[in-house]
């Protein structure tokens, strides 16, 4: 197992190199002039343009620019944006917001999704089961942007329960965006749990558990849920990685200064270094949590061994 | 079987003590597509130390009747009627909680496929030990010690080393031993073995059957052995009940029934024995299909396939095979069969 993890961790390096190069190339290929974009409508002197172009190697070919970027990376320098602020500082400022948002979303996804799925799976075709089926269908069929506006309108403006934008209210401000961000995965977790529980309830070993004279609660918790939750837990694990990178819409709509909104703004203003840094980080999260999931799988299911 | 209930000094029940009485047991499954009549009036008794084999084609209701006795059928969809008395107490009228407490120390069951019947995510020691933790309130450590003892008792080599292994790490025969260890953990009075060896190699089958017989001799438990395998019945069972379409169609001692069947269906089974061995155990004995349990033929359920049947004018009064249901009746001393013409069949 240890060797397997080490091998997988080593594999992350070439993947990240490849990913960052691809992103770099895409940013490089973006039409338009980032320095003009920086200046906006104000006039800008040719001398300044020249200095900036020189500083950011903008006239060099792609591979030279990328090489310069890599050299910086090795010394822990992610470069600076056109205003001279280090990208690392930008990440340090925005990442905590995204992490908090992701935590809240995962919490909703795990708690609500699991409880709904377990209850639906235990009493299939019951009232709760149908409620879960209908509500999850509705949730997944509404685009997240629409869902966000509905949530803001209903819970934020009409009912006034939760703040609809910004981080001034601390954790409280993360409730609505967390719920919106989690919605799709939440519905999926509920469905996955329901199917898995219903399937496991019919398993031969559950019949054995009953033949052993175990109390019903133990038959369900120890012999049904434990097995049913393996695919669910691993899905949630992998979803942490996706949510950390998938918060662009949510952060923008709810005006949360996280890495998602930052990358969105940076693409518009053609801040290449910021985009490359943040997107590479997102790719890293994604790969890392997939590794966590694979390890988790082996921990939860003794039939799976990697050595 | 009306012997008084007696117990020897060692606490081992004396042979012949009635343990289980199944009385006119019916099980049906109510489905949207109709009612499946899986068990239709099964009655038998089991005494301590006795081995009763239940024989019959696939779908004849062997497993369902056993699971009704265990109390592990979901109701609904199953509807159970009749009486199931364990040591004189009716299991069907007692509370679910009382019934649960009988599973394990009172009646225990092992299943055909040990791999799917054991939980893949717990070690075998944990699963065996669970019996002591739940029913006896044992500590984890104590339960594990007991599990090793039991694994030794069912002759699993290197039990102490293997107690933390998982089911998938064992061979088929060893897994079935784990199931047996779990089932006998609390010294049950009755063990129901539902095709315990069908999934195993022939040599391993014999070892597992020997183990079951030895355990029965040690503990005096009653054994209900559900099987397709006539050879196994012949070797280990005292009595045999033959099931067809959810009914017992013939019952008697193994010697009697195997020497001279009283029901045409049993007769057909016996005659198919060489064929059975060639095909590896599954019975395909008699022409025609087993009946659809949602629409069992009237009269004698076996009549569409029976070579002895008498229909219309050929039948004796009240013994028309397609309209008159043959009751299970005494046809010779110690012999019961559900056929209008058993006396003739016996003569064949
Ligand atoms: N939960 C259920 N719902 C509906 N029908 C069922 C259910 N369980 C069993 N049956 C039906 O009851 C009938 C008897 O099944 P049972 O398992 O007792 O047969 P069996 O004699 O054990 O056969 P086999 O030798 O194949 O194990 C079958 O036709 C089966 O389809
Ligand atoms: S009652 Fe008739 S049909 Fe049924 S087994 Fe006997 S002879 Fe055959
Ligand atoms: Mg069966």
């Amino acid at each position: 197992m240890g060797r397997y993890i080490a091998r997988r961790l080593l594999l992350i390096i070439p993947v990240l190199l490849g990913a960052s190069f691809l992103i770099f190339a895409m940013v490089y290929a973006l039409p338009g002039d980032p320095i003009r974009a920086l200046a906006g409508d104000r006039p800008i002197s040719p001398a300044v343009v020249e200095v900036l172009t020189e500083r950011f190697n903008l006239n060099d070919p792609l591979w030279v620019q990328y090489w310069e970027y890599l050299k910086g990376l090795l010394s822990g320098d992610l470069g600076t944006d056109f205003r001279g602020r280090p990208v690392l500082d930008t990440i340090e400022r925005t990442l905590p917001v995204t992490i908090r948002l992701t935590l809240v979303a995962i919490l909703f996804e795990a708690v609500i999704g699991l409880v709904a799925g377990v209850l639906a799976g235990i009493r299939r075709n019951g009232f709760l089961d149908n409620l879960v089926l209908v509500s999850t269908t509705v949730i997944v069929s509404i685009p997240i942007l629409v869902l966000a506006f509905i949530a803001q309108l209903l819970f934020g403006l009409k009912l006034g329960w939760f703040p609809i934008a910004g981080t001034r209210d601390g954790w409280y401000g993360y409730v609505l965006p967390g719920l919106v961000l989690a919605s799709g995965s939440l519905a999926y977790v509920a469905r996955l749990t329901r199917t898995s529980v219903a399937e496991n309830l019919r398993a031969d070993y559950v019949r054995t558990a009953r033949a052993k004279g175990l109390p019903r609660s133990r038959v369900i918790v120890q012999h049904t849920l434990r097995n049913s939750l393996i695919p669910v837990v691993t899905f949630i694990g992998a979803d942490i990685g996706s949510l950390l990178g998938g918060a662009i819409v949510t952060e923008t709509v709810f005006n949360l200064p996280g890495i998602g909104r930052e990358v969105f703004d940076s693409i518009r203003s053609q801040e290449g270094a910021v985009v490359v840094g943040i997107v590479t980080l997102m790719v890293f999260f994604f790969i890392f949590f997939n590794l966590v999931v694979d390890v988790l799988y082996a921990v939860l299911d003794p039939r799976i061994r990697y050595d | 079987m009306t012997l008084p209930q007696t117990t020897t000094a060692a606490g081992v029940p004396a042979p012949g003590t009635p343990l289980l009485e199944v009385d006119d047991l019916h099980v049906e499954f109510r489905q949207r597509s109709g009612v499946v009549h899986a068990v239709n009036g099964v009655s038998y008794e089991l005494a301590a130390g006795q081995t009763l084999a239940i024989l019959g084609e696939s779908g004849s209701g062997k497993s369902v009747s056993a699971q009704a006795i265990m109390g592990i059928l979901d109701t609904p969809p199953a509807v159970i009627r009749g009486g199931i008395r364990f040591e004189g107490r009716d299991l069907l009228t007692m509370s679910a909680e009382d019934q649960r407490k009988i599973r394990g120390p009172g009646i225990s069951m092992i299943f055909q496929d040990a791999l799917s019947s054991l939980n893949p995510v717990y070690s075998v020691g944990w699963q065996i030990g669970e019996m002591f933790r739940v029913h006896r309130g044992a500590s984890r450590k104590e339960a594990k010690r007991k599990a090793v003892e039991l694994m030794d008792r069912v002759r699993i080599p290197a039990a102490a080393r293997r107690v933390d292994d998982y089911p998938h790490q064992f061979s088929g025969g060893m897994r079935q031993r784990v199931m047996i260890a779990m089932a006998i953990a609390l010294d049950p009075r009755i063990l129901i073995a539902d095709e315990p060896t069908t999934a195993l190699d022939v040599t391993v089958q014999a070892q597992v059957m020997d183990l079951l017989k030895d355990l029965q001799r040690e503990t005096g438990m009653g054994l209900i052995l559900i099987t397709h395998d006539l050879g196994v019945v012949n070797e280990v069972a005292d009595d045999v009940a033959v099931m067809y379409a959810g009914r017992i169609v013939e019952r008697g001692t193994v010697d009697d029934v195997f020497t001279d069947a009283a029901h045409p269906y049993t007769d057909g089974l016996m005659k198919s024995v060489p064929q059975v061995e060639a095909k590896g155990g599954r019975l395909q004995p008699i022409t025609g299909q087993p009946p659809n349990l949602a629409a069992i033929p009237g009269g004698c359920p076996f009549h569409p396939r029976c070579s002895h049947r008498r229909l219309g004018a050929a039948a004796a009064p009240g013994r028309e095979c397609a309209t008159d249901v043959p009751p299970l009746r005494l046809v010779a001393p110690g012999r019961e069969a559900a056929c209008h013409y058993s006396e003739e069949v016996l003569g064949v």
Side-chain angles (χ1 to χ4, degrees):
Chain A
M1 190 63 140
R3 288 185 52 184
Y4 172 79
I5 296 174
R7 205 170 58 230
R8 286 281 304 264
L9 282 173
L10 278 177
L11 257 176
I12 290 184
I13 296 171
V15 173
L16 279 186
L17 280 180
S20 65
F21 179 75
L22 277 179
I23 301 155
F24 207 92
M26 282 187 260
V27 172
Y28 183 88
L30 279 180
D33 181 348
I35 294 169
R36 284 240 61 84
L38 175 71
D41 293 335
R42 283 169 291 137
I44 184 165
S45 80
V48 173
V49 172
E50 197 172 319
V51 168
L52 284 175
T53 306
E54 185 59 31
R55 167 123 64 93
F56 294 102
N57 312 313
L58 290 179
N59 279 339
D60 291 338
L62 169 64
W63 64 269
V64 173
Q65 289 194 30
Y66 185 63
W67 180 245
E68 293 296 325
Y69 179 74
L70 274 191
K71 276 201 298 197
L73 205 60
L74 282 181
S75 54
D77 178 11
L78 290 177
T80 59
D81 63 14
F82 293 124
R83 292 175 209 273
R85 290 172 305 195
V87 173
L88 205 59
D89 288 358
T90 305
I91 291 179
E92 268 172 26
R93 178 167 46 80
T94 52
L95 187 58
V97 173
T98 301
I99 289 180
R100 258 173 252 144
L101 177 62
T102 302
L103 276 179
V104 171
I106 290 290
L107 199 72
F108 277 127
E109 174 181 337
V111 175
I112 304 179
L114 274 180
V115 170
V118 167
L119 292 178
I122 288 177
R123 289 223 176 284
R124 269 214 311 165
N125 302 322
F127 170 73
L128 258 170
D129 187 21
N130 284 312
L131 187 71
V132 167
L133 279 182
V134 171
S135 54
T136 52
T137 309
V138 170
I139 288 175
V140 295
S141 57
I142 302 178
I144 188 161
L145 206 59
V146 178
L147 215 54
F149 288 131
I150 294 176
Q152 285 177 325
L153 203 65
L154 190 66
F155 297 109
L157 296 180
K158 280 251 156 57
L159 296 170
W161 289 352
F162 301 104
I164 57 168
T167 54
R168 284 180 312 278
D169 304 278
W171 286 98
Y172 202 47
Y174 287 93
V175 172
L176 269 195
L179 203 55
V180 168
L181 180 61
S183 59
S185 306
L186 191 159
Y188 186 73
V189 166
R191 288 287 189 100
L192 186 64
T193 309
R194 168 192 183 269
T195 313
S196 184
V197 167
E199 218 166 73
N200 275 283
L201 271 176
R202 285 196 302 269
D204 285 352
Y205 52 78
V206 172
R207 184 183 61 188
T208 306
R210 291 205 274 170
K212 286 166 85 173
L214 308 181
R216 184 173 157 80
S217 59
R218 193 178 173 93
V219 171
I220 295 213
V221 175
Q222 302 267 9
H223 288 274
T224 309
L225 293 192
R226 165 70 211 268
N227 301 57
S228 310
L229 293 191
I230 294 174
V232 183
V233 168
T234 50
F235 170 78
I236 294 177
D239 205 38
I240 297 177
S242 320
L243 288 186
L244 278 168
I248 295 178
V249 174
T250 317
E251 285 180 359
T252 307
V253 173
F254 286 93
N255 199 21
L256 298 176
I259 58 170
R261 204 192 66 176
E262 187 65 35
V263 91
F264 182 69
D265 292 346
S266 301
I267 290 172
R268 277 202 308 202
S269 54
Q270 304 199 5
E271 287 282 7
V274 182
V275 175
V276 175
I278 292 183
V279 176
T280 307
L281 187 68
M282 288 174 171
V283 173
F284 168 77
F285 284 141
F286 191 81
I287 303 173
F288 177 76
F289 281 104
N290 270 293
L291 170 60
V292 170
V293 161
D294 286 347
V295 173
L296 207 60
Y297 229 123
V299 172
L300 293 175
D301 190 337
R303 286 167 298 184
I304 292 171
R305 281 287 164 267
Y306 294 121
D307 298 317
Chain B
M1 302 266 175
T2 48
L3 290 173
Q5 199 148 334
T6 49
T7 309
T8 60
V12 178
T17 308
L19 271 181
L20 180 73
E21 295 161 84
V22 179
D23 185 15
D24 198 27
L25 180 68
H26 290 257
V27 182
E28 53 193 44
F29 295 99
R30 304 245 160 105
Q31 295 178 326
R32 249 163 283 178
S33 53
V35 181
V36 174
H37 300 272
V39 180
N40 305 296
V42 160
S43 305
Y44 58 77
E45 284 163 15
L46 183 75
Q50 184 191 359
T51 301
L52 171 69
I54 298 185
L55 201 61
E57 275 171 311
S58 201
S60 54
K62 306 183 297 292
S63 299
V64 170
S65 54
Q67 285 167 22
I69 293 168
M70 281 306 290
I72 55 173
L73 285 176
D74 278 321
T75 49
V79 180
I80 306 175
R81 280 183 291 122
I84 302 171
R85 278 181 296 279
F86 171 70
E87 294 179 327
R89 300 159 69 202
D90 192 345
L91 298 182
L92 291 181
T93 53
M94 75 174 49
S95 73
E97 183 61 9
D98 286 344
Q99 213 186 342
R100 171 181 81 72
K101 287 181 181 153
I102 289 176
R103 295 199 281 273
I107 314 178
S108 209
M109 185 160 179
I110 57 179
F111 302 94
Q112 175 176 339
D113 183 358
L115 181 57
S116 64
S117 298
L118 289 167
N119 196 322
V121 306
Y122 298 109
S123 71
V124 299
W126 188 94
Q127 294 186 59
I128 299 171
E130 193 179 24
M131 297 301 279
F132 297 99
R133 288 174 54 202
V134 170
H135 289 276
R136 302 271 191 264
S139 68
R140 267 169 197 276
K141 222 177 129 199
E142 171 82 357
K144 188 165 165 181
R145 197 178 56 74
K146 291 274 201 185
V148 175
E149 270 177 34
L150 275 157
M151 287 168 71
D152 262 331
R153 204 167 147 209
V154 297
R155 302 174 208 148
I156 294 175
R161 196 162 48 77
R162 306 218 62 187
V163 67
D164 291 324
D165 283 355
Y166 291 88
H168 71 275
Q169 294 169 297
F170 289 80
S171 69
M174 288 300 145
R175 270 198 294 266
Q176 194 55 285
R177 283 167 199 263
V178 171
M179 278 293 290
I180 293 172
M182 203 159 71
I184 63 160
L186 305 176
D187 285 318
R189 309 295 310 279
I190 298 173
L191 178 63
I192 303 177
D194 190 351
E195 306 195 34
T197 60
T198 309
L200 305 176
D201 294 342
V202 179
T203 48
V204 182
Q205 282 184 3
Q207 292 164 4
V208 169
M209 279 320 303
D210 286 347
L211 172 66
L212 281 176
K213 277 316 268 186
D214 289 348
L215 290 170
Q216 187 190 27
R217 254 193 301 277
E218 287 166 30
T219 61
M221 64 188 176
L223 180 62
I224 296 177
L225 183 66
I226 296 172
T227 180
H228 284 104
D229 189 336
L230 293 171
V232 167
V233 175
N234 203 8
E235 262 167 52
V236 303
D238 305 311
D239 299 276
V240 58
V242 181
M243 284 189 71
Y244 187 80
R247 294 184 175 91
I248 291 183
V249 294
E250 170 150 20
R251 195 167 56 185
T253 65
V254 171
D255 285 346
D256 283 351
V257 173
F258 274 49
T259 313
D260 191 3
H263 193 282
Y265 176 66
T266 320
D267 200 42
L269 286 185
M270 300 302 154
K271 289 186 175 140
S272 70
V273 168
Q275 202 182 324
V276 171
E277 276 160 2
K279 284 194 180 172
R282 285 270 146 180
L283 293 183
Q284 286 293 336
I286 301 149
T287 51
Q289 291 298 309
N292 171 4
L293 296 176
I296 297 175
C300 173
F302 186 57
H303 83 261
R305 305 167 70 187
C306 182
S307 55
H308 289 79
R309 70 179 171 210
R310 294 207 197 162
L311 305 173
R319 295 198 282 162
E320 211 277 349
C321 290
T323 50
D324 300 316
V325 181
L328 188 65
R329 65 195 171 91
L330 211 60
V331 295
R335 305 286 307 271
E336 285 178 303
C339 171
H340 295 309
Y341 301 102
S342 278
E343 286 76 3
E344 293 169 26
V345 179
L346 274 170
V348 180

